[in-house]
C-alpha cells in the first residue's frame, strides 16, 4: 500500500497547451524516491546530449518528494531538474520556503514542462485543478511584484514561484524565486533561463489536500521526541543565520576574498553581532521548520532603504562582501534584494561582479565596455554591475551568462581568473581551505556545488561521524590533508542525494547525532509504508549519484572534466589556507576506486549492475 | 668589424616568384644571434595571431647561425621557424646533417619563404645564385628519392632538404628531411605541412664559399685542444647512439610504455648490444662532428629488408617500441624508414600509432574506421597504421594531424589519453620520472619538447653543474622532487636557446665540463669579432626565451596553457616512477618568480625592459 505517495505528476506541453496527470510505478518511486533522484531519472530518459537547454525539447521538472506535506521536520523543499544552460549538462537547483508544500497540497508531487508557449503564461493549480493562464501583464515584472499580483488575484494563501527579468532575458545566472520577498530561491544552473525560454512566468499553487501517512501515530510520536532536540541543537543557526560563523570562516581561510585571490579581510562589519544590531528585523523559517535560519532585514533610510525583506545568506554575504572587497552590510543586503527581484542567483552574480572587478583593475575590461567602473571595494560599482547584469546592458549582457562565457569573450588572462567548474561559479567555500571541498567541486554533477557533499561543516569541526547512516564512528579530519576525504565525500554524497530526493533540508543531517540515519529511515518508512532499512536507503543514494554521473558520461564527460579552475592551483599566500593546494589527482584516484568507477571516472558495468542501473541506461 | 656574419638572408615570395637578398644590422644579430633567436624575432615581427599557419601569410624561415661553416665543433645544424599548424602558435624545429653547412657555403645564412607558389617548385642555390625551379617531376615522391634525383641533376656535392607525401598532404605530423637516407630531420611542429602549403618541395644547395673568422688562429688552436676531449667524453654515445642507455631508462621509469600507461617492458631485444650485433652497419656524423651518434643500419632479408639507411634514434625506438609494445627491432627500423620517406616526425607519428592502439583496444576506434587492426604489440598493425598516416587513408587521415585533433574527433575518453602539450606529442621522456621534465614540457614554447631545457641527462646523473655558464658548482638532484628544478630549467633554457641560435648541437653542452661556458663564449668571440662575455650570452639566451614566450602571450596563452595532459596526472603504478606525480603548480610558482613573470606567467614590464625587449613588442 502506498502512503499517498503516487508520484502524481502534472505534465504540460507548453507548445500545445496540453495538460495531463501521470503516475509512477511504486518500484520506480522506491528506487529514486522523488526530487532530484526521480528528476534525474526522468531527465536521463527524456533528454539527450543533443537537447538544447533553451530549446523546446528540454524539460523543466519541478519535484517534491514522499515526505512533502507531512509532519516530518524540515520537509518543505522542492527540486528543479533540467538540462542546464550554464553547465551544458545535468542541472538541478532546490529551494525551501512554503511553495513546495503548497504544491503538494494543491494535489501534485511535481510538474514537468516541455515545449515553448507561444505567449507568456503562468500555471495556476487550485486543489488539483491546473490551468495555464495569460501572463502578458506579468511579463517584465520583478519576482516580488509577481508574487504580490498573483496573490492579490488568487488569494493570500496561494504560493508562487516565478522568474524575473533575468530569466526572461535567458541569463544563465538566472534562478527561480518563490514566496515573494521571503526570497527563497532555486538558485543554480540557470534554471530561470529554462523557464524563460519556455515563456513560463510563474506557477501559483493553492489547496489543502493532505498527504496521507501510512503510520501516522508512529511518525507523530517520533517527531514529537526529536523536534525540540533539533531546535536546541540548531540554536546557533537560529541566532546568527547561515552567516553565523563568518569571523571564524575568514580566519581559517575558507571565505573568498578579492575574486578568490586570498589575503585577509576585516569582516567585523558584516558579522552576526553587527547584523543583529543594525538591519535584522526578524527570523524566517521554511515550512515545517523550527530552526528559522532565514534573515529578515529592514533598512530604514539611506540609499539602500528597504522594508522587511529577505536578508543575505552566508554565500551572498561572503561573495558580495569580501570577494568584492565590500564591507557595507546595507549595500550587500541591497545587492541581494536586487538579485532576488531580477531573479538572479546571488552566488553566480556576485562571482560575475568580482570577476568584472578583477578584469577592470587589470585593464582588460574598460569603463567604456562595462558602462561603469568596477573597482574592488566600491559598493556603488557593485550595485551598478548587478543592474547591468539584470538588464543585460553593456558588458553586463556578457556577464549575465556567467564567468566562463565572459572569460572566453575577454580571452587571455581573463581565462585564468574565472572561478568556476563545469561552467558554474564557486560558492563561498575555498578548496584551498579544505581538500574535501576541492574534491566535491570537481566531482559534483552540477559543477561547483557546496551541497553535493555538504562537507564544510565536517571540516570546520575536524570530525566526521557518518551520522548513523554509516557506523564507523567518528573520524578526525585535518583540513589541509587528503586523508579520509574521498571516503567521507562518497558517503556524504549518498546522504545528500537522499535529502534532495525525499526532499528535506540538509540541516536535518546532524542535529540528531548518531541516530540521524535510523530516525530518517523510520520516518520515511512510516510515511510510505515501505519497510526500509538504512542499507537500502544508502544504496538508493548511491544509485541516484551514479545516475547523475551517467548523465554527464553520456554527454562525453569523464576524469578530464573533474577539475578545479586555475586560481585554485595558486596559493592564497596569507591567512588560514595560505599554503594548501589540494592534491585533486590523488583524491580522484582513491575516490574512483571507492566508487567502483574506472580510471577515467566512468562507472563500471559491475557497479551499474549492483545498483540496478545497468539495463536502464 | 663583422666576421663574415652579415645575417645574409634570401627572401622569397613564392606567390610572385620574387627573390631578394637582405641583411640584418649588427645590433640585431648580436641580440638574437641567428637560428631560433633571430627566427623568433622575424616571426614575431612579421606574423600575427591572425596568421593561418597553412596560409600565404605564414613565413617558413630556415636559419643557420654565426658559427655555421666554421671549424667550431658540432656547428652543423639549422633551424626552421614558422607559425606551427600543430601547436597553432610559435613553432620551431632543427636538424643536423650536412645541409645547414652547405647552405652557408652556398652563400646564405638563411632563407625566408612567404606566399604560396602557383605550382610545385624547388629552390636551387649554387654559390650565391638562387633559382626557383619546377618541381612537378618531384611532387609525390618520397624524400630519399627526391634527394637522389636532385643530386643526380645538380651534382653529388649538393645537399637537399625536402618534404615527402606527408608534407604535401599537409599532415600536421610532417617534417622536413635533409640529406636523403642519412635521415636527418627538422621533425617537430608540422613544419613539413607549412612547406607543403607553400608548394615548395625541396631546397638544394651547393657551393664552397667559406665563412670568414675574425680570429682564425685563436679558434683553431682552441678547437685543436678541445676536439679530442669532446670525442673521448662522448664515447658512449658513439658506441651506442642516442639509445645507448635504454635498459637504464626503462628501469628508472623514464621510457614510455603502452601509450604512456606505464608498467614494464623487456627492452633487451632493442638495446645497444642487440642492435650492434644485428642491424648496425655503420655510424654517422653530422658536419663538423666527431661524436658520430647517428646509426646506419642494414637489414639483409625478411619483410623489413633494407640497404644502408638511417637507424632509429632513442625517441623513435622508445615510441615505436615499448610505447606500442613492439619488441621487433627490424620492424621499428622499418617504421623509422617509412616515416623518413613519407616525411613524418617519428615522435608524433609513433604517438599517433600508440594512441590509435589504445583507442582500438578500448573499443572506441573500430577496425572498419581505421582500415586495419591496432593491437598493442603487433608490428604488422603498427606498420600498417604508419602507411595510413602517410597516405591519409581511413582514420589515418585524422591521425595525420596529431593526437590532439584525433582525440577531439573521437571525443569522450579519447581526450583522456592523447599525450600532448600545446598540441605537440610527447617525446620519450616521462614527467613522472623526473619533475624537471614535466616543468619543461609545460613551459616549452613549442609544447612537449625534450630539448627546451634538455634536462633528462641531469636527472639521469642526479647532478647539475651550470656547465660553467653559471658558476654555482654542482647541485645534487632527486628525480622525484621539485627541489631546484625551476632553477635548473631556467638556466638550461637559456643555454639551449644559445645552442639553437648559434646554431650548434646540444651534445656540445657537457663534454667540456665546467669550461663549457667560457670556451663557447670564446669561440663565438673569435668567429664574430664581438668581445663577448658569458654574462652577455646568458642574457641573450634569456632574451630569446622571453621573446618566444611573448609570441605565445600575444596569442592569448598564459599559465592556463602551461600544463600537462591528463595521463601525466595518473600514477604509472609499477617501475621506477611508479608513484610520482610532479607538483607542476608548485614548480610554476617558483619558475615564474625566478623568471620575473607575473602570476599568470606573463613577463613583467621590468623583465622585458631588462632584456631590451620592451620597445620591440
Amino acid at each position: 500500500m502506498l502512503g499517498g505517495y503516487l508520484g502524481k505528476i502534472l505534465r504540460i506541453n507548453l507548445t500545445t497547451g496540453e495538460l495531463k496527470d501521470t503516475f509512477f510505478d511504486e518500484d520506480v518511486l522506491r528506487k529514486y524516491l522523488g526530487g532530484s533522484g526521480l528528476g534525474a531519472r526522468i531527465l536521463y530518459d527524456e533528454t539527450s546530449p543533443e537537447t538544447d537547454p533553451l530549446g523546446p525539447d528540454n524539460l523543466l521538472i519541478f519535484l517534491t518528494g514522499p515526505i512533502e506535506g507531512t509532519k516530518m521536520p524540515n520537509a518543505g523543499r522542492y527540486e528543479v531538474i533540467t538540462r542546464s544552460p550554464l553547465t551544458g549538462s545535468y542541472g538541478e537547483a532546490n529551494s525551501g520556503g512554503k511553495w513546495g508544500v503548497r504544491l503538494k497540497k494543491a494535489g501534485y508531487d511535481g510538474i514537468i514542462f516541455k515545449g515553448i508557449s507561444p505567449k507568456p503564461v503562468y500555471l495556476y493549480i487550485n486543489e488539483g485543478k491546473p490551468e495555464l493562464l495569460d501572463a502578458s501583464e506579468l511579463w517584465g515584472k520583478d519576482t516580488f511584484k509577481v508574487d504580490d499580483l498573483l496573490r492579490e488575484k488568487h488569494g493570500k494563501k496561494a504560493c508562487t514561484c516565478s522568474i524575473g527579468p533575468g530569466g526572461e532575458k535567458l541569463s544563465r545566472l538566472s534562478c527561480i524565486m518563490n514566496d515573494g520577498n521571503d526570497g527563497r530561491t532555486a538558485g543554480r544552473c540557470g534554471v530561470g533561463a529554462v523557464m524563460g525560454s519556455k515563456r513560463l512566468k510563474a506557477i501559483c499553487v493553492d489547496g489543502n489536500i493532505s498527504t496521507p501517512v501510512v503510520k501516522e501515530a508512529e511518525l507523530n510520536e517520533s517527531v514529537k521526541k526529536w523536534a525540540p532536540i533539533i531546535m536546541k541543537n540548531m540554536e546557533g543557526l537560529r541566532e546568527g543565520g547561515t552567516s553565523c560563523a563568518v569571523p571564524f570562516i575568514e580566519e581559517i581561510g575558507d571565505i573568498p576574498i578579492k575574486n578568490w585571490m586570498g589575503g585577509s579581510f576585516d569582516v567585523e562589519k558584516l558579522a552576526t553581532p553587527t547584523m543583529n544590531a543594525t538591519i535584522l528585523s526578524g527570523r524566517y523559517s521554511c515550512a515545517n521548520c523550527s530552526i528559522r535560519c532565514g534573515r529578515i532585514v529592514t533598512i530604514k533610510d539611506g540609499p539602500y532603504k528597504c522594508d522587511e525583506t529577505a536578508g543575505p545568506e552566508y554565500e551572498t554575504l561572503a561573495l558580495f562582501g569580501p570577494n568584492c572587497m565590500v564591507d557595507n552590510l546595507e549595500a550587500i543586503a541591497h545587492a541581494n534584494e536586487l538579485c532576488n527581484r531580477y531573479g538572479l542567483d546571488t552566488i553566480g552574480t556576485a562571482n560575475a561582479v568580482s570577476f568584472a572587478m578583477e578584469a577592470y583593475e587589470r585593464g582588460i575590461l574598460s569603463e567604456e565596455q562595462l558602462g561603469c567602473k568596477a573597482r574592488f571595494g566600491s559598493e556603488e560599482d557593485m550595485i551598478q554591475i548587478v543592474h547591468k547584469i539584470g538588464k543585460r546592458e553593456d558588458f553586463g549582457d556578457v556577464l549575465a551568462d556567467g564567468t566562463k562565457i565572459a572569460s572566453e569573450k575577454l580571452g587571455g588572462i581573463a581565462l585564468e581568473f574565472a572561478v568556476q567548474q563545469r561552467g558554474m561559479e564557486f560558492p563561498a567555500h575555498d578548496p584551498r581551505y579544505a581538500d574535501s571541498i576541492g574534491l566535491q567541486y570537481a566531482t559534483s554533477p552540477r559543477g561547483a556545488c557546496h551541497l553535493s557533499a555538504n562537507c564544510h561543516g565536517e571540516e570546520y569541526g575536524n570530525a566526521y561521524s557518518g551520522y548513523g547512516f554509516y557506523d564507523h564512528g567518528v573520524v578526525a579530519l585535518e583540513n589541509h590533508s587528503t586523508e579520509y576525504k574521498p571516503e567521507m565525500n562518497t558517503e556524504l554524497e549518498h546522504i545528500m542525494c537522499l535529502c534532495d530526493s525525499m526532499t528535506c533540508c540538509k540541516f536535518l543531517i546532524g542535529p540528531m547525532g548518531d541516530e540521524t540515519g535510523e530516525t530518517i529511515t523510520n520516518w520515511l518508512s512510516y510515511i510510505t509504508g515501505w519497510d526500509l532499512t538504512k542499507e537500502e536507503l544508502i544504496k538508493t543514494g548511491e544509485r541516484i549519484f551514479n545516475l547523475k554521473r551517467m548523465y554527464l558520461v553520456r554527454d562525453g564527460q569523464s576524469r578530464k572534466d573533474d577539475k578545479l579552475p586555475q586560481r585554485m592551483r595558486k596559493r592564497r599566500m596569507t591567512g588560514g589556507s595560505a599554503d594548501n593546494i589540494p592534491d585533486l589527482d590523488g583524491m580522484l584516484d582513491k575516490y574512483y576506486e571507492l566508487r567502483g568507477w574506472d580510471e577515467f571516472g566512468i562507472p563500471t558495468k559491475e557497479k551499474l549492475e549492483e545498483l540496478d542501473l545497468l539495463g536502464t541506461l
Side-chain angles (χ1 to χ4, degrees), chain A:
Chain A
M1 182 210 161
L2 284 178
Y5 184 49
L6 308 166
K8 184 181 174 191
I9 309 288
L10 173 60
R11 282 187 179 255
I12 299 183
N13 183 330
L14 287 164
T15 307
T16 62
E18 187 193 3
L19 285 76
K20 194 167 73 176
D21 287 351
T22 61
F23 299 85
F24 278 94
D25 288 343
E26 185 174 6
D27 66 321
V28 175
L29 296 174
R30 190 157 171 169
K31 273 176 82 178
Y32 302 102
L33 301 179
S36 82
L38 186 60
R41 183 71 264 174
I42 297 165
L43 199 74
Y44 191 97
D45 293 342
E46 302 186 27
T47 63
S48 81
E50 279 72 47
T51 305
D52 174 2
L54 299 179
D57 293 335
N58 195 10
L59 304 183
L60 181 66
I61 305 169
F62 292 78
L63 283 174
T64 64
I67 64 175
E68 199 94 16
T70 72
K71 288 207 173 126
M72 180 169 149
N74 300 69
R77 299 188 75 82
Y78 70 96
E79 287 275 337
V80 181
I81 303 95
T82 192
R83 195 163 164 82
S84 164
L86 187 68
T87 73
S89 186
Y90 179 78
E92 63 179 48
N94 71 68
S95 179
K98 325 229 182 264
W99 187 86
V101 170
R102 189 60 65 185
L103 170 65
K104 189 78 171 241
K105 289 184 185 294
Y108 287 99
D109 293 303
I111 315 166
I112 302 174
F113 295 93
K114 194 173 177 173
I116 291 181
S117 170
K119 55 171 190 168
V121 290
Y122 72 96
L123 174 68
Y124 175 56
I125 311 180
N126 188 11
E127 292 238 338
K129 291 189 294 295
E131 298 173 85
L132 279 177
L133 299 173
D134 178 51
S136 25
E137 297 291 309
L138 301 174
W139 203 254
K141 299 214 162 40
D142 77 41
T143 63
F144 291 4
K145 188 73 189 164
V146 169
D147 185 71
D148 286 345
L149 290 170
L150 286 176
R151 292 170 70 223
E152 219 164 82
K153 184 169 172 189
H154 296 294
K156 290 291 171 197
K157 262 184 58 246
C159 290
T160 74
C161 73
S162 68
I163 55 168
E168 291 179 13
K169 290 175 193 293
L170 309 182
S171 162
R172 287 173 168 80
L173 298 180
S174 65
C175 61
I176 297 172
M177 301 293 303
N178 57 284
D179 297 300
N181 70 354
D182 290 350
R184 300 298 111 191
T185 168
R188 314 223 63 201
C189 289
V191 293
V194 178
M195 192 154 161
S197 76
K198 300 200 172 305
R199 292 202 190 90
L200 176 68
K201 179 66 178 174
I203 306 172
C204 179
V205 288
D206 201 2
N208 271 307
I209 298 169
S210 62
T211 301
V213 171
V214 175
K215 298 187 178 175
E216 199 158 15
E218 286 89 336
L219 179 68
N220 289 352
E221 190 184 347
S222 179
V223 166
K224 207 166 156 187
K225 172 189 161 197
W226 282 107
I229 299 171
I230 295 167
M231 194 166 164
K232 180 163 189 318
N233 287 347
M234 300 307 261
E235 260 171 12
L237 206 52
R238 180 164 47 257
E239 169 63 14
T242 50
S243 60
C244 56
V246 159
F248 166 74
I249 295 172
E250 195 279 335
E251 192 192 324
I252 58 178
D254 186 38
I255 210 167
I257 297 173
K258 209 175 180 183
N259 197 38
W260 301 91
M261 283 186 233
S264 58
F265 190 83
D266 180 1
V267 292
E268 202 193 319
K269 291 186 193 169
L270 310 179
T272 294
T274 307
M275 194 193 287
N276 289 5
T278 56
I279 64 174
L280 191 77
S281 59
R283 290 179 173 82
Y284 173 86
S285 73
C286 300
N288 269 28
C289 174
S290 53
I291 299 175
R292 310 192 81 173
C293 73
R295 306 291 91 178
I296 300 169
V297 299
T298 303
I299 300 171
K300 295 204 179 111
D301 42 38
Y304 308 121
K305 190 173 183 302
C306 70
D307 286 336
E308 292 216 327
T309 193
E313 301 286 343
Y314 165 71
E315 306 294 329
T316 311
L317 191 85
L319 290 162
F320 277 123
N323 210 34
C324 291
M325 303 293 277
V326 167
D327 64 1
N328 181 327
L329 185 57
E330 295 187 356
I332 293 167
H334 185 62
N336 181 52
E337 160 111 356
L338 287 177
C339 286
N340 288 349
R341 287 183 179 272
Y342 279 120
L344 294 172
D345 171 32
T346 56
I347 296 177
T349 305
N351 268 287
V353 173
S354 64
F355 169 83
M357 286 173 166
E358 180 162 356
Y360 174 83
E361 296 212 341
R362 291 192 186 276
I364 57 178
L365 175 64
S366 69
E367 185 176 351
E368 198 190 344
Q369 259 175 302
L370 184 56
C372 65
K373 290 190 170 62
R375 294 159 298 187
F376 278 114
S378 165
E379 60 215 48
E380 295 83 7
D381 297 355
M382 176 178 85
I383 298 292
Q384 277 206 65
I385 300 167
V386 171
H387 278 300
K388 285 187 180 296
I389 292 172
K391 295 176 182 165
R392 299 198 79 136
E393 276 176 6
D394 301 319
F395 198 75
D397 183 40
V398 178
L399 293 170
D401 282 334
T403 56
K404 179 166 184 282
I405 286 176
S407 69
E408 287 163 359
K409 179 86 178 178
L410 290 177
I413 58 164
L415 294 159
E416 304 267 357
F417 55 78
V419 182
Q420 50 80 25
Q421 154 62 346
R422 297 191 214 280
M424 194 161 89
E425 286 74 17
F426 270 37
H429 299 284
D430 194 320
R432 293 164 293 188
Y433 155 61
D435 294 34
S436 65
I437 296 173
L439 179 61
Q440 172 185 230
Y441 289 176
T443 58
S444 161
R446 68 173 182 170
C449 171
H450 60 301
L451 297 165
S452 176
N454 200 29
C455 51
H456 48 280
E458 278 67 31
E459 295 279 7
Y460 294 166
N462 296 113
Y464 167 61
S465 72
Y467 297 108
F469 280 100
Y470 294 90
D471 301 319
H472 45 54
V474 176
V475 180
L477 301 176
E478 277 183 47
N479 308 139
H480 299 181
S481 159
T482 63
E483 197 70 36
Y484 208 73
K485 306 305 168 75
E487 289 85 344
M488 175 177 76
N489 277 33
T490 299
E491 295 181 2
L492 282 174
E493 281 162 353
H494 300 160
I495 299 173
M496 297 307 143
C497 273
L498 291 175
C499 290
D500 290 335
S501 303
M502 291 198 286
T503 61
C504 74
C505 177
K506 287 171 185 172
F507 286 142
L508 190 59
I509 304 303
M512 293 179 288
D514 276 356
E515 294 179 61
T516 303
E518 204 63 43
T519 309
I520 289 178
T521 305
N522 288 340
W523 288 345
L524 193 55
S525 293
Y526 298 151
I527 292 165
T528 58
W530 301 333
D531 188 20
L532 296 164
T533 60
K534 279 193 311 185
E535 291 64 34
E536 178 181 341
L537 273 192
I538 289 167
K539 192 170 170 178
T540 300
E542 187 178 5
R543 178 183 305 116
I544 291 166
F545 194 82
N546 276 269
L547 177 60
K548 293 176 188 176
R549 180 70 176 184
M550 287 307 294
Y551 193 96
L552 303 187
V553 167
R554 191 176 61 176
D555 277 339
Q557 294 196 39
S558 53
R559 181 173 181 139
K560 69 186 186 307
D561 304 290
D562 294 345
K563 61 190 178 183
L564 294 172
Q566 189 59 51
R567 180 136 293 165
M568 291 307 118
R569 308 182 67 188
K570 182 106 187 67
R571 284 156 178 78
R572 280 178 71 131
M573 307 312 284
T574 56
S577 56
D579 287 323
N580 189 48
I581 300 280
D583 172 19
L584 180 60
D585 282 288
M587 287 191 286
L588 284 180
D589 285 347
K590 181 70 185 167
Y591 178 82
Y592 292 166
E593 189 193 321
L594 288 165
R595 281 221 160 285
W597 295 357
D598 71 13
E599 62 174 303
F600 303 120
I602 295 177
T604 59
K605 278 189 181 165
E606 293 69 31
K607 175 52 75 178
L608 294 175
E609 188 152 37
E610 178 195 323
L611 297 171
D612 297 320
L613 282 171
L614 195 56
T616 76
L617 299 169

